């Protein structure tokens, strides 16, 4: 029981710092695939698919590029699609089971890459997919750490997602080590051994079930603290299917149920999972995420071939821009908290009469959602211009927007819907957006085939599609105005009734 004697505040901070580091170093490696592709090509993976050009000294490696693009497409698809199952496992079985599953998948994936070779290139298909799924399990279990710091909850959730984005730079480190003589196998064996760290953290610094929101008094977790927190956690999770006493059940209502007189009936019970899924907030958030995610996935998955074309097949120039792109990914962990600060800017301020915490949270999210849409539009425009130096600006806009997208998505779900459904709703939106992201491969095939390697027209189509994402912040804005107007009308009615009753007494 010595660990339980450690100050609660210190334990919370250790959990937060170690969680951010875990996301930063391991969770989103697959999105640094561009750097890894450079190494894989050097080692001859899928090189048998390259064909020498007739009568020239050039070599056509478009089929090799297609294989790498397909690997990334499948891995990024599974990274999101399995979130529905993962969300259910997390909500149903808790943190311990979820993390043990993630560690198993992640370790298997890194070992498969370590023991792959040019002769066994197809091992990359299951390997990258397992790394992607294992990484998102780390992210999901770490986002709940925000519940330990209620005043900064959205900031911490976005910080975890920013660290997730920045972890893609680990593949840049592997590329640099490779150029210094460290083999790909050695690097991935080290990543496999790091699973020991994940196991220690799982049992020492994470709860067996969930971190509730809001926190019960004297909440403990971690090694030998099970008996200290079991009663509190079970009691809180059973009340209202996740509604916490003192938190105000109205804060857990789906946004669609707060208009008009339905709000009074919804206060009595937490909304069902399917009522949340069928709400406009969920549908528009899904559209918002799906479109921007497709834009980012297509950019990352085709970046190597895009840079090769713009650099006129100069490998040194391609390596230079690949390194620059990977370096910008490190900034994700620095960009994401700004989104959280935007969403948490109202914390600590008194509420207006009759105003709920959820209503204020939703109103604060409007600016975040709008800025994210604007960033994606600017990123899409820059990406469509075939200028190699301009890609530096494209890289900056891409990492800024990506850090806002995923952090904002998770924070919005935590605000708009009941905490007891967070894992399932997060998994559902990520899974459905993954289906939409499969369009990246036919887009890649279209560019390589009918468009002769020029992605200009596909980029223009994506710019037009990006304009649709502005519907989401517009709807949230209209919803908040409607709720505020209803509250003012109800307040005025009460004042009028009070005046009539006072006059009747006289």
């Amino acid at each position: 029981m010595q660990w339980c004697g450690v100050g609660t505040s210190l334990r919370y901070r250790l959990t937060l710092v170690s969680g951010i580091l875990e996301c930063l170093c391991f969770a989103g490696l697959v999105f640094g695939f561009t750097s890894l592709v450079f190494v894989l090509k050097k080692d001859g993976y899928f090189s048998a698919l390259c064909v020498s050009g007739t009568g020239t000294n050039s070599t056509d490696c478009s089929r090799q590029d297609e294989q790498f693009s397909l690997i990334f497409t499948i891995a990024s698809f599974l990274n999101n699609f399995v979130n529905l199952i993962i969300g259910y496992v997390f909500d149903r079985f808790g943190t311990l089971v979820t993390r043990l599953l993630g560690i198993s998948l992640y370790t298997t994936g890194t070992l498969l890459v370590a023991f792959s070779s040019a002769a066994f290139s197809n091992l990359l298909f299951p390997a990258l997919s397992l790394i992607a799924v294992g990484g998102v399990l780390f992210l999901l279990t770490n986002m709940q750490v925000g519940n330990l710091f209620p005043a900064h909850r959205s900031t911490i959730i976005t910080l975890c997602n920013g660290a997730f984005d920045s972890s893609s730079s680990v593949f840049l480190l592997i590329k640099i080590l490779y150029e210094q003589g460290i083999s790909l196998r050695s690097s991935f064996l080290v990543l496999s051994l790091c699973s020991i760290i994940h196991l220690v953290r799982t049992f020492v610094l994470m709860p067996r079930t969930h971190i509730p929101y809001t926190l019960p008094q004297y909440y403990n977790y971690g090694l030998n603290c099970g008996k200290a927190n079991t009663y509190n956690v079970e009691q809180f999770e059973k009340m209202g299917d996740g509604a916490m006493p003192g938190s105000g059940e109205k804060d857990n209502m789906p946004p669609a149920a707060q208009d008009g007189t339905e709000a009074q009936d919804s206060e009595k019970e937490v909304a069902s999972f399917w009522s949340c899924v069928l709400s406009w907030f969920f549908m528009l958030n899904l559209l918002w995420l799906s479109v921007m995610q497709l834009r980012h996935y297509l950019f990352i998955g085709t970046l190597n071939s895009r840079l090769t074309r713009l650099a006129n097949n100069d490998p040194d120039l391609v390596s230079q821009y690949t390194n620059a792109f990977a370096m910008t990914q490190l900034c994700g962990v620095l960009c994401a908290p700004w989104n959280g600060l935007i969403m948490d800017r109202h914390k600590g301020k008194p509420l207006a009469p009759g105003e709920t915490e959820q209503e204020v949270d939703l109103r604060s999210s409007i600016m975040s959602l709008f800025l994210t849409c604007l960033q994606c539009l600017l990123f899409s425009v820059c990406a469509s211009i075939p200028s190699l130096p301009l890609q530096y600006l494209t890289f900056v806009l891409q990492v800024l927007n990506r850090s806002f997208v995923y952090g904002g998505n998770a924070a919005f779900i935590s605000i708009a819907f009941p905490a007891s459904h967070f894992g399932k709703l997060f998994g559902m939106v990520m899974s459905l957006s993954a289906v939409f992201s499969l369009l990246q491969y036919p887009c890649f095939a279209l560019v390589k085939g009918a468009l002769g390697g020029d992605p200009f027209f596909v980029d223009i189509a994506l710019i037009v599609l990006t304009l649709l994402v502005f519907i989401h912040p517009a709807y949230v804005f209209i919803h908040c105005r409607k709720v505020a107007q209803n509250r003012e009308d109800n307040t005025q009615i009460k004042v009028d009734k009070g005046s009539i009753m006072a006059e009747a007494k006289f």
Side-chain angles (χ1 to χ4, degrees):
M1 298 296 291
Q2 184 178 2
W3 171 246
C4 293
V6 178
T8 301
S9 179
L10 175 59
R11 193 180 315 133
Y12 289 0
R13 286 182 171 84
L14 286 174
T15 300
L16 172 61
V17 172
S18 61
I20 297 300
L21 289 175
E22 185 174 69
C23 290
L24 180 62
C25 298
F26 305 100
L29 304 190
V30 69
F31 295 105
F33 190 63
T34 302
S35 298
L36 185 63
V37 166
F38 188 89
V39 176
L40 295 173
K41 285 186 174 182
K42 289 286 186 180
D43 273 354
Y45 283 74
F46 299 112
S47 58
L49 298 177
C50 292
V51 179
S52 299
T54 304
T56 66
N57 293 325
S58 63
T59 302
D60 180 11
C61 290
S62 59
R63 291 185 60 197
Q64 182 189 36
D65 289 335
E66 286 180 8
Q67 288 299 304
F68 287 127
S69 178
L70 183 59
I71 289 171
F72 180 76
T73 299
I74 294 173
S76 58
F77 167 75
L78 290 176
N79 176 77
N80 289 343
F81 185 75
V82 299
N83 271 276
L84 180 58
I85 301 172
I86 290 170
Y88 173 79
V89 171
F90 178 65
D91 284 346
R92 175 68 177 82
F93 299 103
T95 304
L96 178 62
V97 172
T98 306
R99 285 185 61 82
L100 290 178
L101 175 62
I103 293 168
S104 300
L105 296 176
Y106 185 87
T107 306
T108 303
T110 53
L111 287 174
L112 284 176
V113 176
F115 292 104
S116 66
S117 63
F120 298 97
S121 300
N122 286 330
L123 284 178
L124 294 176
F125 283 94
L128 270 295
S129 296
L130 290 172
I131 292 173
V133 175
V136 82
L137 281 164
F138 293 153
L139 173 64
L140 180 61
T141 55
N142 280 312
M143 283 193 294
Q144 63 178 327
V145 175
N147 295 345
L148 297 174
F149 306 88
H152 307 287
R153 188 182 181 211
S154 295
T155 302
I156 291 172
I157 291 174
T158 55
L159 183 59
C160 288
N161 281 270
F164 177 86
D165 293 338
S166 294
S167 65
S168 59
S169 60
V170 171
F171 278 172
L172 169 63
L173 178 60
I174 291 176
K175 174 179 177 291
I176 294 173
L177 292 175
Y178 179 84
E179 292 172 338
Q180 299 301 316
I182 306 299
S183 68
L184 188 67
R185 173 170 297 182
S186 298
S187 296
F188 274 88
L189 284 176
V190 170
L191 288 177
S192 301
L193 290 174
C194 286
S195 295
I196 298 173
I197 300 174
H198 304 315
L199 284 172
V200 171
R201 185 171 179 273
T202 298
F203 289 102
V204 175
L205 283 173
M206 296 296 286
R208 291 186 61 187
T209 54
H210 305 91
I211 300 175
Y213 183 75
T214 54
L215 286 180
Q217 194 173 14
Y218 309 120
Y219 175 67
N220 290 317
Y221 58 90
L223 187 65
N224 294 327
C225 292
K227 293 182 179 179
N229 72 358
T230 300
Y231 174 78
N232 282 336
V233 173
E234 290 181 353
Q235 180 185 22
F236 271 60
E237 289 183 344
K238 287 180 179 178
M239 294 185 65
D241 189 23
M244 303 302 173
S247 64
E249 280 131 356
K250 190 172 181 180
D251 292 346
N252 281 332
M253 288 189 299
Q258 292 192 26
D259 294 338
T261 58
E262 294 181 5
Q264 297 177 353
D265 297 331
S266 299
E267 286 181 357
K268 299 178 182 179
E269 58 181 13
V270 174
S272 68
F273 169 71
W274 285 109
S275 67
C276 296
V277 171
L278 297 176
S279 67
W280 276 109
F281 269 25
F282 183 87
M283 296 295 183
L284 292 177
N285 189 65
L286 174 61
L287 173 67
W288 178 84
L289 176 65
S290 298
V291 171
M292 288 191 285
Q293 183 172 257
L294 175 63
R295 171 68 270 189
H296 285 278
Y297 280 6
L298 187 61
F299 180 77
I300 295 172
T302 61
L303 183 58
N304 185 268
S305 58
R306 180 190 295 262
L307 292 176
T308 300
R309 182 177 62 85
L310 293 177
N312 295 320
N313 296 312
D314 184 345
D316 294 332
L317 203 53
V318 172
S319 178
Q320 174 187 329
Y321 276 85
T322 299
N323 290 348
F325 173 72
M327 288 298 294
T328 59
Q329 302 306 297
L330 278 171
C331 299
V333 70
L334 303 177
C335 299
W338 291 103
N339 192 18
L341 291 172
I342 292 172
M343 302 182 83
D344 282 337
R345 66 187 185 277
H346 65 283
K347 298 292 187 181
K349 298 179 181 179
L351 300 178
E355 191 175 42
T356 66
E357 185 72 25
Q358 187 198 39
E359 183 181 341
V360 181
D361 287 342
L362 283 172
R363 191 165 61 246
S364 295
S365 71
I366 296 172
M367 178 62 72
S368 168
L369 294 171
F370 175 77
L371 287 176
T372 306
C373 297
L374 184 61
Q375 292 163 3
C376 188
L377 180 62
L378 293 175
F379 157 60
S380 297
V381 170
C382 287
S384 65
I385 300 175
S387 170
L388 191 59
L390 186 62
Q391 298 313 303
Y392 287 122
L393 177 59
T394 305
F395 297 161
V396 173
L397 290 172
Q398 189 270 340
V399 71
L400 178 64
N401 182 234
R402 191 165 180 271
S403 64
F404 268 59
V405 167
Y406 290 104
N409 170 60
F412 182 80
I413 292 174
S414 71
I415 290 170
F417 302 104
S420 57
H421 299 317
F422 175 78
K424 295 185 289 292
L425 289 171
F426 180 80
M428 176 70 82
V429 75
M430 296 299 285
S431 297
L432 294 177
S433 66
V435 176
F436 190 81
S437 70
L438 288 176
L439 290 173
Q440 64 180 299
Y441 189 71
C443 287
F444 179 81
L446 177 64
V447 171
K448 285 293 184 180
L451 298 180
D454 187 356
F456 179 76
F457 291 105
V458 171
D459 288 336
I460 295 299
L462 289 173
I463 291 175
V464 175
L465 191 62
T466 300
L467 296 175
L468 294 177
V469 301
F470 286 92
I471 298 174
H472 187 28
Y475 181 82
V476 178
F477 174 76
I478 294 170
H479 169 83
C480 289
R481 286 193 61 181
K482 185 176 180 180
V483 171
Q485 186 62 50
N486 288 341
R487 188 181 67 252
E488 292 176 3
D489 292 344
N490 291 335
T491 302
Q492 186 61 45
I493 291 173
K494 290 179 181 179
V495 171
D496 293 341
K497 286 183 178 180
S499 300
I500 294 173
M501 292 178 66
E503 291 176 0
K505 291 181 180 180
F506 291 101

